[in-house]
Amino acid sequence: MDSPHGAAVKAEDFGLKGPRGWAFRGVGIDAAPGSLIAVEGPSGSGRTCLLLALTGRMKPTRGHAEVGGHHLPKRMTAVRRITALGPVSGVNELDQALTVAEQLREGALLQRHYGAPVRAMLRPRAERRAAAEARIAAALEAAGLDLAALPKGERTSVRDLERLEAVRLSVAIALLGSPGLLALDDLDLKLSDTERVEAWDLLRSVAARGITVLAVCSEAPADAIVLRTSPKEPDAPDAPDTPAVAESDADAAAVGGSGTDTKTDTKTDEKTENDDTKGADDALAEAGRA
Protein backbone atom coordinates (compact mmCIF):
# COMPACT_ATOMS: atom_id res chain seq x y z
CA MET A 1 0.00 0.00 0.00
CA ASP A 2 1.44 3.35 -1.03
CA SER A 3 2.04 6.14 1.47
CA PRO A 4 -0.63 8.71 0.60
CA HIS A 5 -0.66 12.42 1.26
CA GLY A 6 -3.62 13.42 3.37
CA ALA A 7 -6.23 15.78 1.98
CA ALA A 8 -6.85 19.09 3.69
CA VAL A 9 -10.56 19.82 4.26
CA LYS A 10 -11.92 23.35 4.15
CA ALA A 11 -15.50 24.60 4.03
CA GLU A 12 -17.34 27.88 4.49
CA ASP A 13 -21.11 28.28 4.80
CA PHE A 14 -21.39 24.80 3.28
CA GLY A 15 -24.93 23.47 2.92
CA LEU A 16 -27.28 21.14 1.10
CA LYS A 17 -31.03 21.61 0.73
CA GLY A 18 -33.52 18.99 -0.46
CA PRO A 19 -37.22 19.28 -1.33
CA ARG A 20 -38.25 19.11 2.35
CA GLY A 21 -35.63 21.38 3.81
CA TRP A 22 -31.97 21.60 4.74
CA ALA A 23 -29.99 18.42 5.20
CA PHE A 24 -27.21 20.59 6.69
CA ARG A 25 -26.00 24.18 6.32
CA GLY A 26 -23.60 26.76 7.65
CA VAL A 27 -20.76 24.24 7.98
CA GLY A 28 -17.30 25.71 8.40
CA ILE A 29 -14.01 23.87 8.89
CA ASP A 30 -10.30 24.24 8.17
CA ALA A 31 -8.53 20.93 8.85
CA ALA A 32 -4.97 20.05 7.92
CA PRO A 33 -3.96 16.87 6.09
CA GLY A 34 -3.85 13.89 8.44
CA SER A 35 -6.57 15.26 10.72
CA LEU A 36 -9.12 13.18 12.60
CA ILE A 37 -12.52 14.77 11.95
CA ALA A 38 -15.73 13.62 13.64
CA VAL A 39 -19.23 14.50 12.42
CA GLU A 40 -21.24 14.27 15.63
CA GLY A 41 -25.00 14.30 15.96
CA PRO A 42 -28.13 12.19 16.31
CA SER A 43 -29.45 10.01 13.52
CA GLY A 44 -31.45 12.03 11.00
CA SER A 45 -29.54 15.26 11.57
CA GLY A 46 -27.79 15.35 8.20
CA ARG A 47 -24.57 13.62 9.23
CA THR A 48 -24.44 11.19 6.30
CA CYS A 49 -25.36 13.90 3.79
CA LEU A 50 -22.47 16.04 5.06
CA LEU A 51 -20.05 13.11 4.78
CA LEU A 52 -21.17 12.34 1.22
CA ALA A 53 -21.00 16.00 0.19
CA LEU A 54 -17.46 16.41 1.53
CA THR A 55 -16.35 13.31 -0.40
CA GLY A 56 -17.87 14.45 -3.71
CA ARG A 57 -20.77 11.98 -3.67
CA MET A 58 -23.54 14.56 -3.16
CA LYS A 59 -23.81 17.99 -4.72
CA PRO A 60 -24.03 20.86 -2.21
CA THR A 61 -26.43 23.72 -2.83
CA ARG A 62 -24.85 26.45 -0.73
CA GLY A 63 -21.39 27.77 0.07
CA HIS A 64 -18.22 26.04 -0.96
CA ALA A 65 -15.65 23.53 0.20
CA GLU A 66 -12.20 22.35 -0.78
CA VAL A 67 -10.84 18.83 -0.32
CA GLY A 68 -7.23 18.12 -1.20
CA GLY A 69 -7.11 21.37 -3.19
CA HIS A 70 -10.17 20.45 -5.27
CA HIS A 71 -13.13 22.79 -5.03
CA LEU A 72 -16.68 21.63 -4.40
CA PRO A 73 -19.08 21.50 -6.13
CA LYS A 74 -17.09 22.21 -9.32
CA ARG A 75 -14.65 19.30 -9.04
CA MET A 76 -16.68 16.52 -7.49
CA THR A 77 -15.09 13.86 -9.71
CA ALA A 78 -11.59 14.87 -8.63
CA VAL A 79 -12.64 14.76 -4.97
CA ARG A 80 -14.09 11.27 -5.42
CA ARG A 81 -10.77 10.08 -6.84
CA ILE A 82 -8.82 11.03 -3.72
CA THR A 83 -11.40 9.94 -1.15
CA ALA A 84 -12.58 6.49 -0.11
CA LEU A 85 -15.70 5.38 1.71
CA GLY A 86 -15.91 2.89 4.51
CA PRO A 87 -19.37 1.44 5.16
CA VAL A 88 -22.21 3.82 4.26
CA SER A 89 -25.69 2.33 4.36
CA GLY A 90 -27.25 2.18 0.91
CA VAL A 91 -24.09 3.48 -0.76
CA ASN A 92 -21.05 1.37 0.05
CA GLU A 93 -21.96 -1.70 2.06
CA LEU A 94 -20.12 -4.99 2.39
CA ASP A 95 -21.59 -7.89 0.42
CA GLN A 96 -22.96 -10.29 3.02
CA ALA A 97 -22.92 -13.18 0.52
CA LEU A 98 -19.13 -13.10 0.07
CA THR A 99 -16.32 -14.46 2.18
CA VAL A 100 -13.75 -12.06 3.60
CA ALA A 101 -11.18 -13.19 1.00
CA GLU A 102 -13.67 -12.69 -1.84
CA GLN A 103 -14.57 -9.22 -0.58
CA LEU A 104 -10.92 -8.24 -0.43
CA ARG A 105 -10.18 -9.60 -3.91
CA GLU A 106 -13.18 -7.75 -5.30
CA GLY A 107 -11.96 -4.52 -3.68
CA ALA A 108 -8.47 -5.01 -5.11
CA LEU A 109 -9.90 -5.74 -8.56
CA LEU A 110 -12.05 -2.61 -8.55
CA GLN A 111 -9.12 -0.51 -7.38
CA ARG A 112 -6.92 -1.94 -10.13
CA HIS A 113 -9.46 -1.21 -12.84
CA TYR A 114 -10.54 2.24 -11.70
CA GLY A 115 -7.69 3.59 -9.61
CA ALA A 116 -4.45 2.16 -10.95
CA PRO A 117 -2.42 3.80 -13.72
CA VAL A 118 -2.71 2.30 -17.21
CA ARG A 119 0.86 0.99 -17.13
CA ALA A 120 -0.05 -1.21 -14.16
CA MET A 121 -2.63 -2.99 -16.30
CA LEU A 122 0.10 -3.94 -18.79
CA ARG A 123 2.15 -5.92 -16.29
CA PRO A 124 2.21 -9.75 -16.50
CA ARG A 125 -0.67 -11.47 -14.71
CA ALA A 126 1.57 -13.07 -12.09
CA GLU A 127 3.12 -9.70 -11.28
CA ARG A 128 -0.31 -8.09 -11.00
CA ARG A 129 -1.50 -10.86 -8.68
CA ALA A 130 1.56 -10.52 -6.45
CA ALA A 131 1.12 -6.77 -6.29
CA ALA A 132 -2.56 -7.16 -5.32
CA GLU A 133 -1.70 -9.66 -2.58
CA ALA A 134 0.95 -7.34 -1.18
CA ARG A 135 -1.47 -4.42 -1.23
CA ILE A 136 -4.15 -6.46 0.54
CA ALA A 137 -1.68 -7.62 3.21
CA ALA A 138 -0.56 -4.03 3.86
CA ALA A 139 -4.17 -2.79 4.05
CA LEU A 140 -5.13 -5.55 6.50
CA GLU A 141 -2.18 -4.68 8.70
CA ALA A 142 -3.14 -1.00 8.67
CA ALA A 143 -6.73 -1.88 9.56
CA GLY A 144 -5.68 -4.25 12.33
CA LEU A 145 -7.59 -7.21 10.90
CA ASP A 146 -5.93 -10.60 11.44
CA LEU A 147 -7.55 -13.10 9.08
CA ALA A 148 -6.08 -16.02 11.00
CA ALA A 149 -8.03 -14.94 14.08
CA LEU A 150 -11.39 -15.18 12.30
CA PRO A 151 -13.52 -18.31 12.88
CA LYS A 152 -12.83 -19.72 9.40
CA GLY A 153 -9.87 -17.57 8.48
CA GLU A 154 -10.16 -15.81 5.14
CA ARG A 155 -13.09 -18.11 4.27
CA THR A 156 -15.22 -16.56 7.03
CA SER A 157 -18.46 -15.18 5.63
CA VAL A 158 -18.85 -11.43 5.79
CA ARG A 159 -22.26 -11.93 7.42
CA ASP A 160 -20.58 -13.76 10.32
CA LEU A 161 -18.21 -10.93 11.21
CA GLU A 162 -18.59 -9.02 14.45
CA ARG A 163 -19.43 -5.35 13.97
CA LEU A 164 -15.87 -4.13 14.76
CA GLU A 165 -14.38 -6.78 12.47
CA ALA A 166 -16.66 -5.55 9.67
CA VAL A 167 -15.46 -1.98 10.29
CA ARG A 168 -11.84 -3.13 10.06
CA LEU A 169 -12.56 -5.01 6.83
CA SER A 170 -14.24 -1.94 5.32
CA VAL A 171 -11.29 0.22 6.31
CA ALA A 172 -8.86 -2.26 4.76
CA ILE A 173 -10.78 -2.26 1.47
CA ALA A 174 -10.92 1.55 1.47
CA LEU A 175 -7.16 1.76 2.05
CA LEU A 176 -6.42 -0.40 -1.01
CA GLY A 177 -6.71 2.72 -3.16
CA SER A 178 -4.30 4.78 -0.99
CA PRO A 179 -6.83 7.61 -0.49
CA GLY A 180 -6.05 11.07 0.81
CA LEU A 181 -9.23 11.00 2.87
CA LEU A 182 -11.06 8.05 4.44
CA ALA A 183 -14.74 8.57 5.35
CA LEU A 184 -16.86 6.27 7.53
CA ASP A 185 -20.54 6.49 8.44
CA ASP A 186 -22.05 5.43 11.80
CA LEU A 187 -18.67 4.44 13.22
CA ASP A 188 -19.91 3.73 16.74
CA LEU A 189 -23.18 2.04 15.75
CA LYS A 190 -23.77 -1.20 17.73
CA LEU A 191 -20.34 -1.05 19.35
CA SER A 192 -19.71 -1.55 23.05
CA ASP A 193 -17.77 1.09 24.97
CA THR A 194 -14.61 -1.00 24.68
CA GLU A 195 -15.14 -1.51 20.95
CA ARG A 196 -15.68 2.24 20.44
CA VAL A 197 -12.29 2.89 21.99
CA GLU A 198 -10.74 0.32 19.65
CA ALA A 199 -12.50 1.82 16.63
CA TRP A 200 -11.22 5.31 17.37
CA ASP A 201 -7.74 3.95 18.04
CA LEU A 202 -7.89 2.38 14.58
CA LEU A 203 -8.80 5.70 12.98
CA ARG A 204 -6.05 7.49 14.92
CA SER A 205 -3.54 4.99 13.54
CA VAL A 206 -4.84 5.64 10.01
CA ALA A 207 -4.53 9.40 10.55
CA ALA A 208 -1.01 8.89 11.90
CA ARG A 209 -0.11 7.47 8.48
CA GLY A 210 -0.99 10.85 6.96
CA ILE A 211 -4.50 10.01 5.77
CA THR A 212 -7.23 12.46 6.72
CA VAL A 213 -10.11 10.66 8.45
CA LEU A 214 -13.75 11.79 8.51
CA ALA A 215 -16.09 9.70 10.68
CA VAL A 216 -19.78 10.06 11.52
CA CYS A 217 -20.56 9.21 15.13
CA SER A 218 -22.96 9.84 17.99
CA GLU A 219 -20.18 10.89 20.38
CA ALA A 220 -16.82 12.24 19.26
CA PRO A 221 -13.53 11.71 21.12
CA ALA A 222 -11.90 14.70 22.79
CA ASP A 223 -8.95 14.83 20.39
CA ALA A 224 -10.99 15.03 17.17
CA ILE A 225 -11.95 18.09 15.17
CA VAL A 226 -15.72 18.08 15.61
CA LEU A 227 -18.51 19.11 13.27
CA ARG A 228 -21.86 18.96 15.07
CA THR A 229 -25.24 18.53 13.42
CA SER A 230 -28.61 18.94 15.14
CA PRO A 231 -32.10 17.75 14.27
CA LYS A 232 -34.81 20.13 13.11
CA GLU A 233 -36.86 21.84 15.78
CA PRO A 234 -40.51 20.87 15.19
CA ASP A 235 -41.96 24.38 15.30
CA ALA A 236 -38.98 26.34 14.00
CA PRO A 237 -39.78 28.63 11.03
CA ASP A 238 -37.66 28.45 7.91
CA ALA A 239 -34.72 30.84 8.26
CA PRO A 240 -32.53 30.32 5.19
CA ASP A 241 -30.07 33.06 6.11
CA THR A 242 -29.29 31.64 9.54
CA PRO A 243 -26.33 29.23 9.83
CA ALA A 244 -26.90 25.63 10.84
CA VAL A 245 -25.90 23.97 14.08
CA ALA A 246 -22.67 22.66 12.64
CA GLU A 247 -19.52 23.57 14.48
CA SER A 248 -15.88 22.66 14.86
CA ASP A 249 -14.07 22.60 18.19
CA ALA A 250 -11.57 25.43 17.98
CA ASP A 251 -8.95 23.72 20.12
CA ALA A 252 -9.25 20.19 18.78
CA ALA A 253 -5.85 18.96 17.62
CA ALA A 254 -5.18 17.42 14.23
CA VAL A 255 -4.07 13.80 14.57
CA GLY A 256 -1.14 12.57 12.52
CA GLY A 257 -0.90 15.80 10.55
CA SER A 258 2.01 18.05 9.74
CA GLY A 259 2.42 19.25 13.32
CA THR A 260 0.87 22.64 12.68
CA ASP A 261 -2.18 23.87 14.55
CA THR A 262 -5.49 23.33 12.83
CA LYS A 263 -7.98 26.20 12.99
CA THR A 264 -11.69 25.60 12.73
CA ASP A 265 -14.54 27.94 11.96
CA THR A 266 -17.40 27.76 14.47
CA LYS A 267 -20.89 28.51 13.20
CA THR A 268 -23.66 27.91 15.71
CA ASP A 269 -27.23 28.92 16.25
CA GLU A 270 -29.36 26.64 18.39
CA LYS A 271 -32.63 27.95 16.93
CA THR A 272 -31.89 27.32 13.26
CA GLU A 273 -33.68 24.76 11.17
CA ASN A 274 -31.86 21.65 10.07
CA ASP A 275 -33.30 18.61 8.38
CA ASP A 276 -35.40 15.90 9.94
CA THR A 277 -35.07 12.31 8.84
CA LYS A 278 -37.30 12.86 5.80
CA GLY A 279 -35.24 15.88 4.77
CA ALA A 280 -32.06 13.84 4.87
CA ASP A 281 -33.64 11.00 2.90
CA ASP A 282 -34.88 13.41 0.26
CA ALA A 283 -31.45 14.98 -0.03
CA LEU A 284 -29.90 11.56 -0.52
CA ALA A 285 -32.36 10.87 -3.31
CA GLU A 286 -32.34 14.25 -5.03
CA ALA A 287 -28.98 15.94 -4.52
CA GLY A 288 -26.91 14.31 -7.24
CA ARG A 289 -25.26 11.41 -5.46
CA ALA A 290 -22.47 9.90 -7.58
Side-chain angles (χ1 to χ4, degrees):
M1 187 175 62
D2 299 331
S3 298
H5 298 287
V9 179
K10 301 178 182 179
E12 183 176 353
D13 195 26
F14 196 53
L16 187 154
K17 189 175 186 179
R20 296 183 185 237
W22 290 95
F24 63 86
R25 59 177 169 173
V27 174
I29 186 173
D30 187 351
S35 295
L36 179 65
I37 307 167
V39 180
E40 180 186 85
S43 178
S45 63
R47 306 176 307 174
T48 302
C49 293
L50 178 54
L51 178 144
L52 293 174
L54 285 174
T55 56
R57 273 88 176 168
M58 292 184 71
K59 187 175 182 179
T61 55
R62 179 170 177 169
H64 65 273
E66 182 180 315
V67 179
H70 303 297
H71 293 272
L72 293 170
K74 290 184 178 181
R75 303 197 63 193
M76 293 176 63
T77 300
V79 170
R80 289 197 296 272
R81 287 182 182 141
I82 65 168
T83 61
L85 295 182
V88 178
S89 180
V91 179
N92 193 44
E93 297 173 297
L94 295 174
D95 189 335
Q96 302 298 305
L98 298 181
T99 67
V100 171
E102 290 169 340
Q103 188 80 80
L104 286 164
R105 284 196 294 269
E106 181 181 88
L109 181 63
L110 289 172
Q111 191 279 327
R112 190 177 73 199
H113 277 291
Y114 296 105
V118 175
R119 64 179 180 274
M121 301 294 293
L122 302 178
R123 295 174 181 172
R125 179 177 298 179
E127 187 177 336
R128 295 200 306 268
R129 184 183 298 113
E133 291 175 353
R135 187 175 291 272
I136 288 173
L140 287 170
E141 181 181 1
L145 182 60
D146 181 4
L147 298 187
L150 299 178
K152 297 181 180 179
E154 66 176 18
R155 296 178 62 83
T156 301
S157 175
V158 170
R159 69 169 62 91
D160 294 331
L161 294 175
E162 299 292 337
R163 164 66 180 166
L164 183 57
E165 291 171 340
V167 170
R168 292 187 185 278
L169 176 59
S170 294
V171 169
I173 293 170
L175 293 179
L176 289 172
S178 300
L181 183 147
L182 168 66
L184 302 92
D185 194 24
D186 286 328
L187 175 67
D188 49 11
L189 180 67
K190 297 181 181 179
L191 294 182
S192 67
D193 291 343
T194 300
E195 289 171 332
R196 287 191 184 97
V197 171
E198 291 185 45
W200 284 111
D201 284 345
L202 164 62
L203 298 193
R204 289 186 188 94
S205 70
V206 173
R209 292 171 175 265
I211 304 170
T212 304
V213 177
L214 177 67
V216 167
C217 62
S218 57
E219 185 176 354
D223 60 341
I225 299 171
V226 183
L227 291 171
R228 292 191 174 92
T229 59
S230 294
K232 175 183 176 181
E233 294 183 10
D235 299 323
D238 190 14
D241 294 327
T242 310
V245 185
E247 66 182 38
S248 303
D249 289 347
D251 25 72
V255 178
S258 60
T260 58
D261 292 338
T262 299
K263 298 180 180 179
T264 55
D265 297 327
T266 303
K267 294 178 179 289
T268 60
D269 188 336
E270 295 181 354
K271 295 184 179 180
T272 58
E273 175 186 0
N274 233 325
D275 78 308
D276 55 8
T277 303
K278 290 183 179 179
D281 290 343
D282 285 340
L284 281 167
E286 302 292 340
R289 180 198 305 164

